[in-house]
Every structure is written in C-alpha cells, then in structure tokens.
Amino acid sequence: MRTLSGTLTAAQKTASALPHPKVEILDRVAGLTRLNWTRLYTGAEADAFHAVAMPADGSLIRLRIDSTNLYRQRVTTPGAGSDFATWTSWAVTAYAVALCAYGSAVFAFRVGLDGKLYRADSADSGASWGAWVDMGAITGTAATRLACCCKSATLAIVLYSQSNAVYRRRLSGGSWEAAAAWSLSVASITGLAVRYQGDWNVVVTGTQVTTLKPYVWTCVYGDGYSAGVGTWSALVELTRAEAGSNVSFAFPCLDFPDVFRAFFVEAYSGSEAYTRPFGTHSLATADFISNLWREPVPFNLASTYGLALCHSSTYVWLTRPDAVWRASLTPASVELTADVLLLATALGEASGELSLSLRNDDGRYNTLGTGTYAAIKLGSEILFSPGYRTTAGIEVSSGQAYWITGWEYVSRPPSSVFCLRASDGWAMLERWKARRQYTWAAAAKNIFQLLSWLHARAGLEFSSFSTSSAIVNQYPAFTINPGESGRSSVLRLLSKVPDVLYFRGNYGYIVNPLAADASAYTYGTTHAILEGRYITRSKESNRAQVFGAAVFTEDFDWTEIELLSDILSQVKDLNLTTTTRAHERGAAELREAAIHALDGIVLVPLNCGQEMYDVVDLTDAVAGLVAAKRRVLSLSHIYNPTKGQYVLKIGLGAL
Amino acid sequence: MIRKGILKAWASPLSSVQIIGSLSVYLDSIPTSRAIPTAEMVVGRNVAVLFLDPSNFLDAVIIAVWTS
C-alpha cells in the first residue's frame, strides 16, 4: 500500500470528505518523454558518413563526407527557419568522421585516405578550428569505424576499428594517450558509438567471432562507475541475427539526453530488402551495463549510414547529411481534474484499465493533439492520483499510470461527453510481440532477470518488494516464440513461482505473497464498509505432483484432502532438476489455490493508497468477521460526482 | 503447441529451425523424431516442431518434414 499522510488517511475515513481525483495527461510513454520528431530540413546531400555535436552555446555542428571530401556546418541557433543546406568544404579527405563537444570545446576526428587518424580542435564552439593534427597511422580504410565523446573539456576518448579490433585513445592530462586495443573478440566491426555517463559506454555492431552472426552489442570501457578504470566489460547482446538470415547491423549512434537513446541500421537483403534505422532507449533507472533496452523500433527512413544524435537541455537532435530532426525533451501535459464526469478503473491480477468521461459541452476536446490538449494522443500517459480535500489542503496519492488506447465522443444534445480509454503496464506487455525467436539456455538468467528483460523490452521498469527463493534460484531454459506477447511470456514465467506482479506507474513490482503477511489497512472500524460479500470455496488443487527431469515430488494440503478427497494438479517441467526446485513449484501450485479459495468484495469509501495484493483486515459484524485478514486481488476505483460516489471496490482473496 | 518452421541446418539428431515469424534468428539444437529418415532432413524443407512445453525449447521435437 502506498504511504499516505496522516491528514489524508483521516480524510478518507470521514463520511463528509470532499473527493479530489487528480487526473493528468502527459506526452510520455512509461515515464519517459515521447520524442515527437519534427523534420526541419530535407536536402539533397548523399547518405554517407556524418557526425553531429552540440557545444554549450547551442550551435549545431555537423560533418559529412561527400565521396571522400569532408564538409562541415555550424548553425548557431538551430531551429525551424535555419539554413541547414550551407556547408563549408574542409579541403581534406576522409573515410570516416566523428565529432564530440563539451562546453565550448569541440573535437573533430577523421580517418584520412592516407590511413591516418587526424584531429581538429575548436575552443569556441566550432566557430573556428585549429589545423588538423596527425595522430598517427591506423591503416584506415573505408571499413574503419570511428566514434568519440567527451567527459569534460579536457577528458575525451576516440575509438576506431582496425580489422576486428577496437582501439581507444584518451585525452587525459592535456595529451592524447597512445592507442590501446580492447580486450574483446569479434569477427568484424560495422559500427561504433560511444557516450560518457559514469563510464565510456559503447555500442558496437558487427559479427561474432566463429559463428559470424551479426550482432548489436553493448559494452563498457570502465571509468570506475560500472567497470574498473581502463577495463572493458564483456560484449552483451542488444539484438542479433543468424549468419545466413540476410540480416545485418551497422552504424549505431548513442546519446544521453534523458536516458540512453540509440539508433542503429538494420539491413535485410532478402525479398523486399530494406536498410533502415531502428531506435531504442534504456530505462530511466537502468545503468548502461545492465543492458536493459526497449525493443528497437523502425524509424521511417531508408538509410545505409544511419543517423547521428546530440542534444541540448531542451531538444534532442537527430541528423543525416540531408536531414535534421528535433524533438522536445519536455512533454506536453494537461490536468483534467476539473472536467471529470466519471472515472472508473478495473485492476485485476493480469490486467488494468481506466475509463474517463470528461465534460465536452463546449467542444473543448474536439481538437486533440495541439494547443491545450497537445498531450491527448494515443499512447499518452494518464496519471490518476486519488485524493481528498484534507485539513492540510488538497492531498493526493500518486502512483497509478495508464496509457491511452482510444477515445469516443458521446453526443446527447445538449450534453456532450468525451470518453478516454486507457490501460496499464499489463497492456504494454501485451502490445510487445516477439519479432523473432528468443531463447535463453538453462543457467543463463533466473526468472527475475527474465522478467526484467521482458519488462524492459516493453519499456517498463521492474523491481520487487519481496521475492521467493524460486524466482531468484530458478534459471530455466526458456523460449519466446515469434508473435507471442510479453504478457503471455510474463504469465508463463510467473506460473513457475509463487510470486505475483502488479504495476505502480511504469514499474512492475514483484511480491511474494506469504500467509503470514501483516495487514496494511483496516476496514469496518474507522473506515466504513459500505457493502460486503464474503465467499468461501474449495481449493482448485490440494495435491500437487511435480514431474521434473528425473525428479518427482508431491505436496499436499491435508486438511482439504480429508474434506474433499484429493484434487490433483500436475506440473511437468524439465527445468526442474532437484527436489528442492520441484517442491517449490508444488508449493507455488498450492499457494495459488489457497489464495483463490476465498473470494468476495467489499465496497468502501475510496482509500487513496490501496494497492493490489495488499493484506487488509475486515470487521463486518453482520457477516461474523472480526479483523479477518484478506488479500486484495482486484481494485475498482469509481468516481461519479453526479451520484456522489467516490468508492473503492476491493476484490478479496485469502492470504 | 506445434509450430511450422524451415530447416536451416541438420546434424543428426539435432536441427536448426527457422520458426515462421522469426526473420533473423533460428532455434538451434532441436531433436528430431527417429521416425523421420535421415535422407528426408534436407535444408530448406518445411518442418513441424512440437513444443511439449511451450516455455522450454529443449522440450521440443521435430515431428514432420515436407516440401511445399
């Protein structure tokens, strides 16, 4: 249960409390600003190597190669009316280019046609440049890849590929260190990107050694945050393909405007071939090294050389030689509390929905997506924070988030109502569909880690309030078949453990419901029960047989067996290789049955902090209940001011 | 659960199969029914994969092979 202030707790127990269900809509997805790209420039420049950086003065610095000639551009106040078509020839040649900035310092790198690495420095945000400095021979070719980034104006790094190895040179103590190879192995490198954030965070595209499978990897060149200074972490998969699948990856870019955001090019050379950038981002709380990325999604562009990213404090910039896009980092938002005519939620064990009716008698919601209602779009985030007017003023309990799935207009002249429909993290999981076969070998990840990966692919954070032994100690061989939803995959994983999942905002939380859990709230004494139904039923299973790999176990609920004979459930799972794991599964089967052996609902004045799977105690003398403990298995918030309703319907189960 | 796939590699008794819907990644090390003659396991042919446990690719078997 979410923690409430004393005054809000007191208010929700009084019969005369004034409701205040706060409703806001933000142009965000799972807590992160949705980047709405606006294309500011469409030119005729060739798709080729290019780079972008934005120093502190806000100017947009771009480099591009046309054939082998290097051009640069500086737009001092980039915006909708800016000239992105004028380029200055640098009168040098290049195979590859990279660009980075910090404060007013800007570093440009190129791999010359003579195979050497060159650098040019600017101390005035790219307004003027020093001469190219020869940094030495690197046997550069058209296959050489180049990336750079700054930690500060005096600490920077440049990475370049040479055959199947990556070399780094760091600016430290006023000079560039000698080249040093990484400690990792790949068969080939088709792209490099790096961004400093605690460590030197790197995205690499190429092919795997031996198997020659194309990969997009991430790794960290340590600076003491997630990896030791000067050490390389292992390459880990962001996505991959088979060697013979006609799919390959190249030209990644990486930036950290709010979270890590990356693009890379995925190319398919089969029928209906494509060469298309795909975009992805990390989660707000995830370190780069945890490698939790939202599912990469295609960007509406054909491009061989991909995109380049940079940002200011207000915009993210995305470029190609012939294109400039920008997207605001500040999400549009609007509060709708005053317009609410009806609000209802329906939260269940694997679903969560919200419906919202708003006054539209003056047609205020007839134009959506612009102006005051710019935030009202498909997929936007609705934050519902139930509250009351308390002795301390208006207080609410935030924590519920839904994402808009659709809307309707209901016209009964002179009445006009605008109705929004939205769903929670369960629907986000449902909308994620496996676009390929995903497999994890036994011992690769435990169930908690698999759930975390699945949530990340749907853009959701994942954490726990409590966990079972099974969820952290089972490392199953697991697969997700193409077309299967994230929700279905999550439910299959949860069926292996006693733990349950619910959503608070954009977080999925795991809870291990224990029979000994303490009550979080009391109804029927100072917080009235308006209506109650209390149901007892036989358990769906009282004897669980588990068949593992050469393992067989049984678990029993003897009390029920003596009353009803045995009601058998059977589990067959070759991932279970020990009696300990098998008994955990059997116990989970019986726990699930026990929790659902009690049923019913109570209707109470709306409790702002109640959450799924809380334990509450009920006193309802008419039904013979005194401090009877129940677990919350469903929640329905109802706000209907015309009927004076501000209530919570709580679905009940056993502990 | 039965899924249709395309045989991508075969080294008796295990197969690599591209499950339909997975453009880029194959399912490796799938056992093959002993009832299928080795000569019939030709790369590129259609196969039917029976998942005895939908969650566990190690608990699956190729039960049929055919040409379109």
Side-chain angles (χ1 to χ4, degrees):
Chain A
M1 180 168 161
R2 295 189 299 273
T3 303
L4 304 179
S5 71
T7 46
L8 182 54
T9 303
Q12 68 186 14
K13 291 178 178 178
T14 62
S16 57
L18 286 173
H20 187 86
K22 185 178 180 183
V23 179
E24 304 162 89
I25 299 185
L26 295 94
D27 193 358
R28 299 194 310 197
V29 178
L32 294 179
T33 300
R34 181 165 47 189
L35 298 184
N36 299 303
W37 296 108
T38 301
R39 187 163 182 168
L40 303 180
Y41 173 63
T42 301
E45 294 87 343
D47 183 18
F49 280 98
H50 66 290
V52 68
M54 182 163 277
D57 73 345
S59 59
L60 191 73
I61 315 292
R62 295 203 292 156
L63 301 181
R64 71 179 177 93
I65 298 173
D66 193 340
S67 182
T68 54
N69 301 310
L70 179 60
Y71 294 84
R72 71 172 185 266
Q73 179 184 86
R74 179 171 184 255
V75 178
T76 51
T77 50
S82 297
D83 175 11
F84 295 104
T86 302
W87 296 85
T88 302
S89 171
W90 216 325
V92 293
T93 56
Y95 281 129
V97 289
L99 197 57
C100 58
Y102 191 96
S104 58
V106 189
F107 301 101
F109 296 88
R110 67 181 171 94
V111 178
L113 298 194
D114 57 2
K116 290 182 175 180
L117 178 65
Y118 292 91
R119 186 191 79 251
D121 302 343
S122 170
D124 54 7
S125 300
S128 63
W129 292 88
W132 286 102
V133 177
D134 180 352
M135 296 183 75
I138 62 168
T139 58
T141 67
T144 302
R145 299 294 182 262
L146 197 56
C148 65
C149 73
C150 294
K151 175 182 177 181
S152 67
T154 55
L155 292 167
I157 200 168
V158 59
L159 304 179
Y160 60 89
S161 66
Q162 196 173 336
S163 182
N164 59 351
V166 171
Y167 289 79
R168 62 98 180 132
R169 295 191 66 173
R170 261 187 320 209
L171 172 62
S172 180
S175 62
W176 288 86
E177 297 171 348
W182 70 355
S183 56
L184 309 171
S185 295
V186 299
S188 68
I189 294 165
T190 58
L192 284 172
V194 60
R195 166 73 203 187
Y196 188 86
Q197 193 73 27
D199 294 298
W200 308 97
N201 305 289
V202 181
V203 178
V204 185
T205 56
T207 55
Q208 190 178 44
V209 69
T210 309
T211 68
L212 303 184
K213 292 180 178 180
Y215 269 80
V216 179
W217 292 285
T218 66
C219 66
V220 164
Y221 180 59
D223 195 36
Y225 181 67
S226 295
V229 175
T231 62
W232 288 89
S233 70
L235 292 166
V236 289
E237 171 192 332
L238 197 159
T239 191
R240 72 176 177 94
E242 301 290 340
S245 64
N246 296 325
V247 173
S248 60
F249 307 106
F251 294 106
C253 62
L254 178 67
D255 197 15
F256 191 88
D258 50 351
V259 293
F260 287 103
R261 294 185 183 267
F263 285 84
F264 57 87
V265 173
E266 178 178 303
Y268 175 61
S269 58
S271 63
E272 197 147 323
Y274 62 81
T275 306
R276 186 174 294 140
F278 279 64
T280 180
H281 63 76
S282 65
L283 305 179
T285 62
D287 296 331
F288 189 85
I289 204 165
S290 60
N291 197 39
L292 292 170
W293 296 89
R294 189 164 194 191
E295 185 68 49
V297 296
F299 189 73
N300 186 12
L301 186 76
S303 180
T304 301
Y305 292 87
L307 300 163
L309 266 174
C310 68
H311 72 277
S312 65
S313 59
T314 50
Y315 289 101
V316 188
W317 295 83
L318 185 65
T319 68
R320 198 172 69 156
D322 65 339
V324 175
W325 295 263
R326 75 173 179 186
S328 173
L329 280 166
T330 306
S333 65
V334 61
E335 183 174 343
L336 309 177
T337 308
D339 293 349
V340 176
L341 299 176
L342 181 66
L343 182 151
T345 70
L347 308 181
E349 292 182 78
S351 64
E353 294 183 342
L354 173 139
S355 61
L356 185 64
S357 298
L358 301 163
R359 56 167 292 197
N360 192 36
D361 43 280
D362 56 0
R364 66 183 68 183
Y365 293 105
N366 288 356
T367 304
L368 305 176
T370 62
T372 304
Y373 303 113
I376 303 180
K377 300 175 189 170
L378 288 174
S380 289
E381 190 167 280
I382 300 182
L383 300 180
F384 166 44
S385 306
Y388 288 92
R389 285 184 187 276
T390 75
T391 55
I394 290 172
E395 291 185 75
V396 301
S397 173
S398 58
Q400 294 190 51
Y402 304 84
W403 291 276
I404 296 173
T405 55
W407 54 73
E408 64 180 282
Y409 293 92
V410 179
S411 175
R412 289 192 196 90
S415 162
S416 176
V417 178
F418 175 60
C419 305
L420 280 167
R421 306 276 181 263
S423 51
D424 73 356
W426 283 107
M428 297 275 279
L429 287 170
E430 177 63 28
R431 280 198 289 275
W432 179 83
K433 296 290 193 300
R435 62 272 344 264
R436 65 173 174 88
Q437 193 83 38
Y438 292 93
T439 55
W440 290 266
K445 284 184 188 288
N446 65 26
I447 291 175
F448 188 90
Q449 291 166 330
L450 289 168
L451 288 167
S452 180
W453 184 91
L454 272 161
H455 277 71
R457 286 282 150 160
L460 296 163
E461 304 268 3
F462 183 70
S463 189
S464 67
F465 287 116
S466 59
T467 55
S468 69
S469 163
I471 202 169
V472 293
N473 289 316
Q474 277 192 46
Y475 289 75
F478 188 69
T479 192
I480 304 172
N481 282 296
E484 187 177 5
S485 76
R487 179 176 174 275
S488 160
S489 306
V490 163
L491 290 173
R492 283 200 287 115
L493 285 165
L494 289 174
S495 73
K496 298 175 183 293
V497 293
D499 308 74
V500 292
L501 172 70
Y502 78 94
F503 285 92
R504 179 188 286 180
N506 58 313
Y507 272 81
Y509 281 103
I510 284 289
V511 173
N512 180 23
L514 299 174
D517 283 345
S519 171
Y521 201 79
T522 298
Y523 293 106
T525 53
T526 55
H527 195 131
I529 294 175
L530 305 174
E531 183 184 330
R533 292 177 63 215
Y534 313 100
I535 300 165
T536 300
R537 57 163 65 106
S538 62
K539 294 172 183 169
E540 290 190 0
S541 166
N542 55 34
R543 178 185 174 194
Q545 292 184 329
V546 178
F547 298 83
V551 170
F552 168 70
T553 60
E554 282 194 285
D555 291 271
F556 303 93
D557 181 337
W558 291 114
T559 305
E560 288 262 317
I561 290 173
E562 287 164 10
L563 290 169
L564 298 166
S565 182
D566 70 335
I567 304 172
L568 183 65
S569 67
Q570 292 187 318
V571 174
K572 295 118 185 166
D573 187 346
L574 294 183
N575 281 308
L576 301 171
T577 55
T578 67
T579 53
T580 301
R581 299 280 92 82
H583 274 301
E584 283 175 351
R585 178 68 63 82
E589 287 286 304
L590 295 184
R591 277 292 294 143
E592 165 82 8
I595 287 172
H596 292 92
L598 293 180
D599 198 349
I601 61 105
V602 287
L603 190 67
V604 298
L606 197 139
N607 177 349
C608 301
Q610 198 75 75
E611 290 186 298
M612 289 289 292
Y613 302 110
D614 287 341
V615 173
V616 297
D617 61 81
L618 310 172
T619 295
D620 193 340
V622 178
L625 299 179
V626 179
K629 283 187 175 181
R630 295 288 187 273
R631 191 171 295 279
V632 175
L633 296 186
S634 69
L635 288 169
S636 178
H637 304 77
I638 301 165
Y639 173 58
N640 187 344
T642 57
K643 293 184 178 177
Q645 269 190 318
Y646 193 48
V647 294
L648 182 64
K649 185 189 285 186
I650 304 174
L652 303 171
L655 260 56
Chain B
M1 181 178 72
I2 297 176
R3 289 268 183 165
K4 181 182 175 183
I6 299 168
L7 186 66
K8 303 302 286 191
W10 157 250
S12 180
L14 302 176
S15 301
S16 179
V17 175
Q18 181 179 24
I19 300 291
I20 299 301
S22 180
L23 181 71
S24 59
V25 175
Y26 310 151
L27 195 52
D28 295 326
S29 303
I30 304 300
T32 305
S33 167
R34 287 175 176 273
I36 300 175
T38 299
E40 298 299 329
M41 295 300 286
V42 176
V43 170
R45 285 187 174 175
N46 298 318
V47 293
V49 183
L50 170 63
F51 288 85
L52 298 159
D53 176 352
S55 296
N56 187 351
F57 61 96
L58 300 178
D59 201 3
V61 60
I62 293 178
I63 57 171
V65 57
W66 74 97
T67 51
S68 299

